[in-house]
Amino acid sequence: MKKQIPVIGLEMHCELKSNSKVFSRAKNAYSEIPNVNISAVDMAFPGTLPVVNKKCVADALKVSLILNCEVPEYLVFDRKNYYYPDLPKGYQITQMAKPVGINGHIDIEVNDKLIPVLIHDVHLEEDTASLDHYFDTTTIDYNRCGVPLLELVTEPCFHSADEAVAFIEHMRNIYRYCDISDADTKKGEIRCDVNVSIMDEDSKELGIKVEVKNVNSISGVSETIKYEISRQTKLKEEGRYNEVVQETRRYDEETGTTIRMRSKEDAIDYKYFIEPNIPKFKITEKWLSILKNEIPKLPLERKYNYLNNYGLSNYDASIIIKEKAISDYFEECLKLGIDPKVSANWIITQILGYINKNDTSIDKISFTPSKLKELTDLIASNTISSKQAKDIFNKVIETKKEIKDYLTENTQISDSNELETIIDKILANNETQIKEYQNGRTNLFDYFVGLVMKETKGKANPVLTKELLTKKLQG
Ligand code: ADP
Ligand code: MG
């Protein structure tokens, strides 16, 4: 058999963050308690009308811009008609004819190499209610009904599970950088339909694709792709490629396999038409340029900046861009003039170490970039060693103290002139004890040391104190 090339296309759904739902005023939030974040619109009560949430449209347009898509002149929604208990209206409001973005592309990194990903379209739609199946009952929770959902449809442009996973992770990071979504797979905020086919190496035509619906974890996407590639390849090897048919399957988490649900012949005709209850809305150049300006510098751009202009290693740069807050912290350090590699080292070893140990995040800790600047300046001027700096870091981050205050409170007095003045003052007030000492009560020595420690709040260098005291008491 000829060498087989796997081909994969993704439909990636992501729930967007917003105060209210995409077409109603109900709260857009996850709740353990069913049916609390709902409104008459979500329940499809007669006479209710959708009102488009502008923030959701803005976020969808941002993603469209990031993916270098063509944006339509007008915002238009379509009705996708089908019946299912999780869809009280009997249709889903989505975008079919004029999505917020078409024909896009974006480069992503896979094992440190750039690959281009082609985007068929990006569209905004509403999520459905969720069904919970029990032994002999099913319950419906309408909290999710009407939650804004952004769907990205890629061209069949991936050739391995690694590439598809890299794309999902890349987009997840972009959503987080833009604060469009937490993109948390654990909360079901990302769900993918995974399309997989194989073809002969020299073929001009794509193979028969199988669609695996609703895979809701990144590891699930990876397993799905690997399983489908091997299942289809094996069938082809055995001369049974006719058994690979256009069908919808589902991923089974327990076995890591996919299971047939329905064939494409049973495909539903959704009878799409323009949603008549939402007037078309002009997407102006002005609005688009405002949105463009709101997009922060994205992870890959930041990474190349750190590699090319600040001499970071690939490893360090990759860690720093993992979260926007970490990358922002790093850039603040650069602005303050801390050496890039020194900053990166501190962030990666000390700061992230502390954060992981204490289950907190970089924007919540008291140790700001300006504190790091203070500390690294002290090392640079040889005032403290790097070992001392680490000790000071550990103390200061715990106590939230200013470095200056911590140093004044904790630095030893090791200047003999300063200590001598203090000792002289103490001795002047203890003439009787000095005489007793000199007459043989040598255990009074500790009494004098104690007085010095009390006077200096324990900061006197003990070795030097004893040395000076011995000298002075000998007369
Ligand atoms: P459908 O008509 O079944 O909805 P589309 O052509 O609209 O199929 O594509 C849906 C998804 O399937 C897209 O993500 C696309 O990239 C992917 N896809 C299409 N053809 C193939 C193929 N031969 N192999 C793998 N993925 C494919
Ligand atoms: Mg869809």
Side-chain angles (χ1 to χ4, degrees), residues 7-11 153-156 195-197 206-207 209 246 264:
V7 175
I8 299 125
L10 292 174
E11 294 158 83
V153 183
T154 76
E155 296 291 350
N195 301 274
V196 186
S197 66
L206 293 178
K209 76 157 189 193
Q246 266 219 39
K264 208 64 188 179

Side-chain angles (χ1 to χ4, degrees), residues 431-444 448 473-474:
E431 298 210 345
T432 357
Q433 286 84 346
I434 297 176
K435 285 222 175 71
E436 283 179 36
Y437 174 81
Q438 283 165 347
N439 287 334
R441 266 190 77 188
T442 47
N443 57 353
L444 272 174
F448 292 115
L473 287 167
Q474 274 164 359

Side-chain angles (χ1 to χ4, degrees), residues 15-24 28 51-63 75 77 95 100 123-125 146-150 180 287 291:
E15 286 183 359
L16 302 183
K17 259 190 205 175
S18 58
N19 294 328
S20 57
K21 290 183 179 174
V22 60
F23 301 119
S24 86
N28 171 18
V51 175
V52 182
N53 183 330
K54 195 170 177 183
K55 151 91 166 58
C56 299
V57 177
D59 286 348
L61 284 169
K62 276 185 199 169
V63 175
L75 180 74
F77 288 93
Q95 294 188 301
V100 285
H123 60 265
L124 180 62
E125 57 189 25
V147 164
L149 207 55
L150 194 67
I180 283 175
W287 193 25
L291 294 175

Side-chain angles (χ1 to χ4, degrees), residues 173 295 374 434:
N173 221 2
I295 299 171
E374 246 182 285
I434 297 176

Side-chain angles (χ1 to χ4, degrees), residues 10 12 66-68 105-110 113-115 117 119 152 158 162-178 183 190 218 298-304 321-322:
L10 292 174
M12 175 179 173
I66 289 168
L67 294 172
N68 304 295
H105 61 88
I106 187 168
D107 287 341
I108 63 165
E109 252 188 0
V110 189
K113 273 203 211 79
L114 278 185
I115 64 156
V117 175
I119 306 296
L152 295 186
F158 304 106
D162 283 357
E163 290 182 4
V165 164
F167 174 71
I168 297 171
E169 286 177 341
H170 188 87
M171 290 315 299
R172 180 174 66 173
N173 221 2
I174 285 181
Y175 289 142
R176 290 179 182 164
Y177 264 67
C178 298
I190 290 185
I218 292 182
L298 298 173
L300 209 51
E301 190 185 346
R302 293 190 193 215
K303 180 172 171 181
Y304 289 133
I321 58 147
K322 269 205 176 118

